Amino acid sequence: MKTVIITGASSGIGLAAARRFAAEKWQLILLARREELLRKIVAELPAAPGALHRYIPGDYSLRSTAEQLTEVMKSYPQIDALVNCAGITGSADAVDSELDKWRIPFDTMFNGAVNMTRAVVPFMKEGGRIVHVTSIHAFRAEMGSSAYACAKAAITQFCRGTALELADRGILVNAVAPGFIDTPMSSASGSSELETQWFKDNYVTGNHLPLRRPGRPEEAAGVLYFLCGPDASYITGQTITVDGGLTITF
């Protein structure tokens, strides 16, 4: 039975990934900050005979969380995949904001990707998979989003570098770059940007989003699952964009 670690598993793409892997009879170790929600998710997930789903509450960017994960992994014969979905939002002016505030998305998401990768690789054997959720912001610019974009760009490059360094161990490393996905991170101040007139004018009735709708978390999770499966055995160091065609337009 294969075992996958999923960070950011309490909502959005991470939760959709947890449900997909459980449905495919993997056993799961889930990480997120909200312990009560993780407990509920694990209780509701289907489990194959002999499967043991577990959860670890904590901030994945902290070394202490990686240390907790290491202790849990010792009870498994091997870890087959790490799916790093955890992320945060945050806007800060690139020049005029306090540097500590501007660095929050970078320090949290990039450090989290590094911490999880370093913790998990020693427990992987040939055929192991690491998949990071990055973003189209890694190669596109938007007002007020430079900190978030820099973090995602760093994760994307980290994916390339580790793919090269881990190739001789038979471990494949890839990334998925979502565009507009209908998740709780799309909401601010109690409303979703995907339901605003701005979104409709620019992306539904306009020409910027060919499929004219936001993606579903399950659609991104399906690509994550593919990259951890046998059909992706000759793919490494790549970023697959899941954006409804957004980045092919002017």
Side-chain angles (χ1 to χ4, degrees), residues 54-68:
R54 302 179 68 173
Y55 66 87
I56 300 172
D59 183 336
Y60 78 131
S61 69
L62 299 178
R63 183 61 195 165
S64 58
T65 303
E67 291 169 353
Q68 290 182 64

Side-chain angles (χ1 to χ4, degrees), residues 44-214:
E44 294 174 349
L45 287 173
L52 175 61
H53 300 325
R54 302 179 68 173
Y55 66 87
I56 300 172
D59 183 336
Y60 78 131
S61 69
L62 299 178
R63 183 61 195 165
S64 58
T65 303
E67 291 169 353
Q68 290 182 64
L69 175 61
T70 297
E71 289 304 309
V72 170
M73 289 189 292
K74 290 178 181 178
S75 62
Y76 292 83
Q78 70 180 53
I79 301 300
D80 299 284
L82 166 65
V83 178
N84 187 37
C85 299
I88 63 169
T89 58
S91 297
D93 186 274
V95 175
D96 295 327
S97 63
E98 293 291 332
L99 185 58
D100 287 347
K101 178 182 179 182
W102 187 86
R103 288 187 59 96
I104 288 172
F106 186 92
D107 289 343
T108 301
M109 291 190 286
F110 181 67
N111 289 351
V114 173
N115 280 341
M116 292 296 103
T117 299
R118 289 185 169 190
V120 173
V121 164
F123 294 86
M124 284 185 163
K125 297 180 181 179
E126 184 170 351
R129 308 295 173 87
I130 299 172
V131 187
H132 300 292
V133 174
T134 178
S135 170
I136 60 171
H137 282 84
F139 37 87
R140 292 293 188 272
E142 185 177 34
M143 290 289 291
S145 294
S146 60
Y148 179 85
C150 285
K152 292 300 191 180
I155 292 171
T156 302
Q157 186 60 24
F158 181 64
C159 164
R160 298 186 185 106
T162 50
L164 182 61
E165 294 180 23
L166 296 176
D168 286 346
R169 301 193 197 185
I171 297 172
L172 309 183
V173 188
N174 292 290
V176 171
F180 289 113
I181 306 293
D182 191 2
T183 72
M185 284 184 66
S186 302
S187 297
S189 303
S191 61
S192 172
E193 68 173 355
L194 306 179
E195 298 174 357
T196 63
Q197 194 61 45
W198 163 82
F199 182 82
K200 294 175 183 177
D201 289 345
N202 282 279
Y203 299 105
V204 178
T205 59
N207 297 315
H208 297 304
L209 182 54
L211 296 190
R212 301 185 187 281
R213 65 170 178 86

